[in-house]
Amino acid sequence: MTSTFPNVSISTERLVLRPLDEDDVPALAEMMNDELVGAWTDVPQPFTEEGARTWITEYAPAERAAGRGLDLAVTEFLTQRLVGVIQLTRTNWHVRSTELSYIIAPWARGEGYASEAALATAQWLFGDQDFERIELRTAADNTASQQVAQKIGCISEGVLRNACIAHVRAEDGTWTDVRTDFIVWSLLPEDLDGVSDELADTGGFTSFPNWN
């Protein structure tokens, strides 16, 4: 029997992580059309509202039902505004491991939402789902995403050479693929010891523009 993630809602001091729904279509489409999302992810460009609806109503439910992963909307607690997406992929239920990635909307960067959402997801995975390993992969030049990984306690395990395809926009508006390295990070349950205290000591989650 295939294991699956529950349709969960995770709350932090400022955020609510919940399943994507069709009301998120316009904001999700706008977020995914951002220049940095186009550069560092494989999200199709341009990204249409039809594409957003397909993601929400077909792709995300299918991934969860098959046990491969989970897609969560990241929303502000006070405004309910969509500010990002957390995605779990390549889930191995025998090993109890999964790969985590995050995208933060351009209108919400600089607030530390990526690290807050990623840490909350990790705490839920280790505490409620009995996972033993979370993996992150960041493009070699994506320093903001690397800062998020470091901030939540991840350990750099090495480099997958030439394993990542980033994207550069040409003068005519088209995108060109550029090969680069992946930095591989891991997070184990014991790596979270003291992370919340360290964040409190440094003023919380604020600081840099985050995306992956």
Side-chain angles (χ1 to χ4, degrees):
M1 181 177 178
T2 301
S3 297
T4 60
F5 289 114
N7 271 318
V8 68
S9 178
I10 304 170
S11 297
T12 72
E13 181 179 349
R14 301 183 298 167
L15 303 172
V16 176
L17 283 62
R18 56 158 176 79
L20 289 157
D21 63 45
E22 289 196 65
D23 289 341
D24 297 318
V25 165
L28 183 62
E30 183 179 358
M31 176 170 62
M32 293 301 165
N33 277 307
D34 174 65
E35 193 82 5
L36 293 176
V37 174
W40 296 119
T41 77
D42 285 328
V43 173
Q45 298 294 324
F47 193 77
T48 64
E49 289 197 2
E50 181 182 355
R53 185 170 287 104
T54 299
W55 180 352
I56 291 169
T57 62
E58 298 180 22
Y59 173 78
E63 289 295 289
R64 190 184 77 83
R68 289 188 291 265
L70 183 69
D71 293 55
L72 294 172
V74 180
T75 63
E76 287 180 330
F77 176 75
L78 292 178
T79 66
Q80 300 184 30
R81 179 178 64 161
L82 183 72
V83 296
V85 174
I86 288 282
Q87 193 170 41
L88 303 178
T89 57
R90 298 186 177 92
T91 303
N92 186 318
W93 291 95
H94 176 66
V95 179
R96 309 298 292 188
S97 70
T98 191
E99 183 176 326
L100 183 149
S101 59
Y102 34 81
I103 296 174
I104 298 298
W107 54 83
R109 293 183 186 138
E111 300 295 331
Y113 286 156
S115 50
E116 186 169 345
L119 180 59
T121 304
Q123 291 170 331
W124 172 72
L125 284 167
F126 292 147
D128 292 359
Q129 299 296 301
D130 297 324
F131 269 60
E132 296 293 339
R133 173 183 169 86
I134 298 171
E135 185 172 302
L136 288 78
R137 298 185 182 195
T138 62
D141 294 328
N142 192 347
T143 55
S145 187
Q146 293 160 29
Q147 287 176 312
V148 174
Q150 292 172 326
K151 198 163 190 176
I152 66 173
C154 292
I155 303 299
S156 175
E157 292 187 331
V159 176
L160 297 178
R161 297 185 302 161
N162 221 28
C164 174
I165 296 179
H167 312 280
V168 175
R169 190 188 288 275
E171 291 184 3
D172 63 0
T174 60
W175 290 92
T176 302
D177 292 351
V178 178
R179 298 199 72 94
T180 185
D181 299 338
F182 260 139
I183 300 176
V184 179
W185 307 79
S186 67
L187 189 67
L188 306 184
E190 56 266 31
D191 296 331
L192 291 186
D193 293 343
V195 170
S196 295
D197 293 337
E198 291 178 13
L199 286 168
D201 291 341
T202 58
F205 293 93
T206 60
S207 66
F208 32 73
N210 308 326
W211 60 90
N212 184 26

